[in-house]
Amino acid sequence: MKILLIEDDSSTRELLVFHLTAARYTVEQAADGIIAQELAALWSYDLILLDINIPRLDGISLCRYLRGQGVSTPILMLTAQAQDEDVITGLDAGADDYVTKPFEVSQVLARIRALLRRGARATTIPPLVWGQLCLDPALAQVTYSGQVVPLTPKEYSLLELFLRHPQRVFSRSAILDHLWTIDDSPTEGAVTNLVKDLRNRLKRSGVAENVIQTVYGLGYRLRDLPPSLAADNDFHGPSTTARAKTEPRTNAASKGKALEAIAARFQASIQQRLAVVEAAVRSLQAGNLPAQQRAIAQDEAHRLAGGLGTFGYDEGSIYARQIELLLGDCPLQTTEVDQLSRHLLDLKQTLALAPKPLLTEPPPARHLGVVLSMEPELLHQLQDDAASHGWHLDQATDLGELLQTLAQGRAEAVVLTLDQSAPLAEKLAPLREVKHRFPQLPMLVLTCHDSLEERVQVARLQGDRYMVSPATPNQIFDTLDRLLPETQAPEAQVMVVDNDPITRSAITDLLTPWGLQVAGLGDPSQFWEVLRQTQPDLLLLALEMPTFSGIDLCQVVRQDSRFGNLPILMVAAHPDTVTVRQVFEMGADDLIGKPIVGPELVTRVLSRIERSRLRQQIEQMRHHQALYWVQQETTDPLTQVANGLQFDAFLQQQWERHCQDQAPISLILCSPDSLRTYYQIYGQQAGDAALRRVARTLHRTVNPNIDLVARCGDDEFAIVLPNTNLDGALRVVSRLQQAVTDLKIPQPTPDAGDYITLSLGIGGTTPTGTLSSDLLLKTADQALKDAKLRGGNTFCLYPMC
């Protein structure tokens, strides 16, 4: 698959090329609209990835031009312009999809796959099969008889080209156009060598037949499937086991280094762009900013807004976007120039912190599913979220295609949406047919009409789950995960310590067939070193051994905090009553006599391991439950931020610590304006949803590792800022006000403005023995009341003396 990438920002373009190439796409690059226009006219592409703000010819105009010329190639717009009117303009211009910067690379790749599935060029439903040779585009892997065939990216692309067009003869020049970019400029000899390499690679992987046929004088084509293989052509994909053993397509270490190099080059460009913006701000403050300098600075801020979030600076992207918007206003008032300066300072402080690590591709799908008769919108949401849940979902257009997919073993579960316009017997026909042919296959039935009769009929037909819409993707994937058979417990490891090699060998032979790994040790003096390396699930100790006896080793284990609960079985020859009592007093769990009886040994070992694992699970459940109840005691159930009790304890604790350290502390009390009226007009549910959005925004805007956000009233929040003076609190307040306004929660009354705003009261001091935290709270509370009296959407700051 060949993609035309049009992006003027070199760092973003380099990052996208890296990930697209790793996903086996051939990428042609263009940095401006005119070059892209010429490339689109000269070459054929499977998809166009288009930025809007590009030099010489903008993306909207280019998109309209291409559609006007009859180009039907799918176009995915990738831009920092995130307003609703921008999205509408882009889609109306002819784009098929729209992704805003900053973006997650995994989401962009998912949308590209979705567009290629829907595009006119992607008419073949994956996977692509030739006998027992299978190419799965979703996983970007090739298998033969279920075993992975390692191919280079170019070999993979060449095989995919032939499999997608099985009857077409490709000349060498046509293969060059599909697999290489203009910058590569290889000769036709490169095609000959590539075909030779692919044939050799397939032959070494066990493919005896020559897959690629040479058509002399014309080029190459996919060879017709021999009759001996046509009968076995029901193999359409690798088994789950083979897929799980897939080797990485690229070396993880080299891939990580390449991403680090791309990020480092982006980091190097940040300071230069910041310098351009900072120079424009200084000119504004001096009252002399030429129009050309303003345009250049706005363009650099736009590039920063798009690139910072992609490279791990989400908060920095927000500040850069605000700077871009302010630079677009002309002329600027004094307050707006001050606001621009604050945003620039916040941006520089954010960039001084370490960015989030670059996201790599999502892990390969663990499970395969197929859906039938699902609404396109829900199907699109499921396919976008599938990778994060470990699933890959295909769509069957009708019952026949669904049955064919299941017969080929390409699905572990089925999601069936009932057609409510059809009679009951007709809409349940797919369920009846699938369960008749595949009775063990899990099936989830979705319906928008909750009917007892329908539930009964689905149960009679052995439907596994019945779910009423609307259902979220998380609910559907959670249900599918519960429908799958439980994975087998990991193999347990047994450590046998006995100086008799015959006994060790006999125990190993008895336990290995039961899925147990056995590690033997004949020298007790090496016991502790081997124990730490092996970390077994159970110990089998001989009672009598030279140097250290089994009882000695048992006591050593029981004294250790790490291995103290390890199950221990003692093995003794003809034990008497005294020996039995001594063994159990020293901490052993069981005693087995010699000669060893095989069934008795296996039963006791398996029973002890199962009992130990069950105890560990119970302890984990108790631990998680204890953590849950602790969290419930300190968390507000509606907003999921800290509650009043946690706020009081945290404020007092920080006050005492800052009093000792003589460090400043600030407190912000805030409340959304007109929220009570919002509750009265829109209802309790909508009001709660708005309050939760505000709480989440407050939590994300501060530093949750240091600061505390708590709900202290019906619509009032408190924010404790340790080690923060009043100047720092003011900067936080500015961010909070902007973040809440950006939520665009509509005002319930038109005379109060467009969106709900925030009123804030600020108090702060350096604690001393003569002051108290209660006084700080009262000061901030009075400041909030005064801010409300001023009409809201403002703040009051009252320092404490």
Side-chain angles (χ1 to χ4, degrees):
M1 291 275 180
K2 195 170 186 178
I3 293 177
L4 175 60
L5 171 61
I6 309 163
E7 169 64 64
D8 61 325
D9 183 64
S10 59
S11 299
T12 303
R13 189 170 66 245
E14 187 178 8
L15 180 68
L16 286 169
V17 169
F18 174 82
H19 285 284
L20 290 171
T21 305
R24 305 299 178 92
Y25 296 110
T26 301
V27 185
E28 195 84 73
Q29 304 176 49
D32 63 65
I34 296 299
I35 294 178
Q37 185 179 14
E38 296 173 354
L39 289 174
L42 289 173
W43 308 98
S44 178
Y45 297 97
D46 296 284
L47 183 135
I48 297 175
L49 199 57
L50 175 62
D51 188 15
I52 290 182
N53 286 341
I54 50 178
R56 302 177 69 185
L57 181 64
D58 65 89
I60 297 293
S61 301
L62 176 59
C63 186
R64 288 174 178 156
Y65 170 82
L66 294 176
R67 293 305 186 222
Q69 296 297 311
V71 176
S72 60
T73 303
I75 296 177
L76 172 60
M77 281 194 171
L78 190 67
T79 176
Q81 297 183 2
Q83 300 297 323
D84 290 342
E85 54 268 21
D86 297 324
V87 178
I88 294 171
T89 302
L91 295 177
D92 286 344
D96 297 273
D97 205 348
Y98 198 101
V99 175
T100 58
K101 301 176 183 177
F103 56 81
E104 291 187 7
V105 176
S106 58
Q107 183 186 109
V108 174
L109 293 176
R111 290 181 182 270
I112 289 174
R113 291 193 295 268
L115 286 176
L116 291 176
R117 285 196 301 268
R118 296 198 301 265
R121 298 175 182 272
T123 56
T124 307
I125 298 177
L128 308 172
V129 178
W130 191 89
Q132 293 191 0
L133 184 66
C134 173
L135 184 147
D136 191 338
L139 300 177
Q141 74 174 14
V142 177
T143 57
Y144 181 72
S145 297
Q147 300 300 316
V148 176
V149 179
L151 297 179
T152 66
K154 279 290 186 287
E155 293 168 351
Y156 174 92
S157 300
L158 180 62
L159 180 60
E160 181 184 22
L161 181 66
F162 286 131
L163 290 175
R164 286 192 180 277
H165 307 279
Q167 304 300 323
R168 179 176 169 183
V169 177
F170 288 93
S171 65
R172 290 178 176 82
S173 61
I175 294 175
L176 285 174
D177 292 344
H178 279 85
L179 268 61
W180 276 272
T181 65
I182 295 177
D183 296 334
D184 295 330
S185 301
T187 63
E188 293 188 356
V191 176
T192 305
N193 292 332
L194 180 61
V195 172
K196 179 181 177 182
D197 292 341
L198 178 59
R199 284 171 171 168
N200 292 335
R201 184 87 66 170
L202 294 175
K203 186 176 181 180
R204 288 196 298 270
S205 299
V207 184
E209 304 79 13
N210 190 358
V211 179
I212 303 172
Q213 177 184 356
T214 301
V215 182
Y216 293 98
L218 296 177
Y220 303 96
R221 68 183 292 268
L222 185 71
R223 182 180 297 276
D224 293 332
L225 194 64
S228 59
L229 295 179
D232 299 328
N233 201 31
D234 58 347
F235 178 84
H236 279 254
S239 65
T240 305
T241 303
R243 186 177 294 109
K245 295 179 181 178
T246 303
E247 295 180 0
R249 295 194 296 272
T250 57
N251 181 272
S254 61
K255 185 173 182 178
K257 291 181 179 178
L259 279 174
E260 290 176 2
I262 294 173
R265 285 190 286 273
F266 174 75
Q267 288 275 1
S269 69
I270 290 178
Q271 296 304 322
Q272 181 180 359
R273 294 175 177 176
L274 271 179
V276 174
V277 176
E278 193 169 6
V281 173
R282 286 198 299 267
S283 298
L284 263 176
Q285 292 171 337
N288 181 25
L289 177 62
Q292 183 178 4
Q293 186 182 4
R294 176 194 289 267
I296 293 174
Q298 185 181 10
D299 184 59
E300 292 297 344
H302 174 79
R303 294 170 187 268
L304 285 171
L308 287 174
T310 304
F311 283 88
Y313 292 104
D314 294 338
E315 190 174 1
S317 177
I318 296 174
Y319 294 138
R321 180 100 56 207
Q322 293 166 346
I323 293 172
E324 177 193 2
L325 294 175
L326 286 172
L327 287 172
D329 296 337
C330 185
L332 290 178
Q333 303 297 325
T334 304
T335 56
E336 291 175 319
V337 175
D338 293 340
Q339 188 178 6
L340 185 62
S341 302
R342 288 198 301 271
H343 288 329
L344 179 60
L345 178 61
D346 291 337
L347 176 58
K348 294 171 70 175
Q349 291 176 343
T350 302
L351 295 178
L353 304 175
K356 295 190 302 184
L358 285 178
L359 295 177
T360 56
E361 298 177 32
R366 302 187 306 271
H367 309 298
L368 299 177
V370 61
V371 298
L372 179 65
S373 306
M374 182 172 287
E375 295 180 359
E377 183 178 356
L378 178 58
L379 176 62
H380 186 70
Q381 293 177 0
L382 287 175
Q383 290 179 330
D384 283 347
D385 293 351
S388 61
H389 290 272
W391 280 84
H392 173 76
L393 291 182
D394 283 326
Q395 181 186 18
T397 56
D398 53 36
L399 179 59
E401 185 180 341
L402 173 62
L403 294 175
Q404 181 182 5
T405 301
L406 299 180
Q408 295 162 357
R410 286 159 43 198
E412 300 171 62
V414 175
V415 182
L416 171 65
T417 304
L418 299 183
D419 183 5
Q420 296 301 328
S421 62
L424 182 61
E426 182 179 340
K427 64 184 177 183
L428 292 178
L431 174 62
R432 181 184 298 106
E433 186 67 22
V434 171
K435 278 298 183 180
H436 175 71
R437 298 194 184 191
F438 308 96
Q440 303 301 322
L441 186 71
M443 287 197 68
L444 168 62
V445 177
L446 283 177
T447 179
C448 59
H449 177 63
D450 193 358
S451 163
L452 178 60
E453 180 185 6
E454 194 174 88
R455 285 178 178 271
V456 172
Q457 292 299 325
V458 169
R460 288 176 177 175
L461 293 174
Q462 305 302 312
D464 297 278
R465 288 293 187 275
Y466 184 91
M467 183 177 289
V468 181
S469 296
T472 65
N474 285 339
Q475 292 173 331
I476 293 175
F477 285 119
D478 288 345
T479 303
L480 290 175
D481 287 336
R482 289 194 294 268
L483 285 178
L484 295 179
E486 293 187 5
T487 57
Q488 294 183 352
E491 289 185 350
Q493 188 153 358
V494 177
M495 180 175 171
V496 181
V497 185
D498 196 319
N499 61 318
D500 182 5
I502 298 177
T503 302
R504 292 201 309 272
S505 177
I507 292 176
T508 301
D509 294 340
L510 287 170
L511 298 181
T512 301
W514 293 90
L516 300 174
Q517 296 181 355
V518 181
L521 176 64
D523 184 2
S525 62
Q526 301 177 4
F527 170 74
W528 193 250
E529 180 181 355
V530 176
L531 176 69
R532 289 189 297 179
Q533 294 175 353
T534 307
Q535 299 186 20
D537 298 280
L538 182 139
L539 277 175
L540 270 171
L541 304 177
L543 180 62
E544 297 177 355
M545 292 183 292
T547 311
F548 301 116
S549 67
I551 290 179
D552 294 331
L553 299 182
C554 180
Q555 288 179 294
V556 168
V557 172
R558 289 293 179 247
Q559 292 173 352
D560 187 72
S561 59
R562 181 179 180 184
F563 298 106
N565 293 323
L566 193 64
I568 299 177
L569 273 65
M570 203 73 72
V571 181
H574 309 294
D576 53 23
T577 306
V578 176
T579 302
V580 172
R581 185 176 67 252
Q582 185 181 16
V583 164
F584 285 104
E585 286 178 350
M586 293 300 106
D589 295 281
D590 208 342
L591 178 65
I592 298 176
K594 293 182 180 180
I596 296 174
V597 179
E600 177 188 5
L601 174 68
V602 171
T603 301
R604 293 194 180 190
V605 168
L606 293 177
S607 174
R608 287 293 170 182
I609 292 176
E610 183 178 0
R611 191 179 306 176
S612 175
R613 286 182 171 175
L614 181 60
R615 187 186 69 250
Q616 292 174 6
Q617 292 175 2
I618 293 175
E619 290 177 353
Q620 290 177 357
M621 289 174 60
R622 289 175 177 171
H623 177 68
H624 292 159
Q625 190 176 33
L627 291 178
Y628 171 78
W629 287 116
V630 169
Q631 183 182 14
Q632 290 300 105
E633 292 175 357
T634 59
T635 304
D636 177 63
L638 176 60
T639 61
Q640 294 302 302
V641 297
N643 59 17
L645 292 175
Q646 175 67 4
F647 164 71
D648 292 338
F650 184 81
L651 178 60
Q652 184 60 35
Q653 177 192 41
Q654 293 299 319
W655 182 271
E656 294 174 357
R657 184 174 69 83
H658 286 65
C659 187
Q660 294 177 355
D661 299 343
Q662 281 298 287
I665 184 171
S666 296
L667 174 64
I668 301 173
L669 295 183
C670 60
S671 176
D673 300 320
S674 307
L675 191 62
R676 294 184 181 179
T677 309
Y678 190 94
Y679 268 99
Q680 294 170 0
I681 294 177
Y682 296 112
Q684 183 74 30
Q685 186 174 0
D688 288 346
L691 190 65
R692 281 193 294 267
R693 292 181 64 191
V694 171
R696 286 197 299 267
T697 300
L698 298 178
H699 182 74
R700 288 197 299 263
T701 306
V702 302
N703 186 346
N705 297 321
I706 300 175
D707 310 326
L708 178 77
V709 177
R711 185 186 179 197
C712 298
D714 291 340
D715 59 349
E716 187 174 306
F717 296 93
I719 304 171
V720 183
L721 303 175
N723 297 307
T724 305
N725 58 22
L726 290 176
D727 289 337
L730 281 175
R731 289 194 293 270
V732 174
V733 164
S734 177
R735 297 202 302 266
L736 294 174
Q737 287 182 302
Q738 186 63 48
V740 171
T741 303
D742 289 343
L743 291 176
K744 296 184 178 181
I745 302 174
Q747 276 280 7
T749 54
D751 57 342
D754 295 329
Y755 306 116
I756 282 182
T757 54
L758 200 64
S759 293
L760 307 99
I762 312 168
T765 187
T766 299
T768 63
T770 59
L771 300 175
S772 68
S773 60
D774 290 339
L775 182 58
L776 175 62
L777 181 58
K778 291 178 181 178
T779 303
D781 184 57
Q782 185 61 49
L784 175 60
K785 290 178 181 178
D786 292 347
K788 287 283 189 181
L789 290 175
R790 294 182 182 179
N793 193 22
T794 187
F795 65 86
C796 288
L797 185 152
Y798 293 162
M800 294 173 57
C801 299

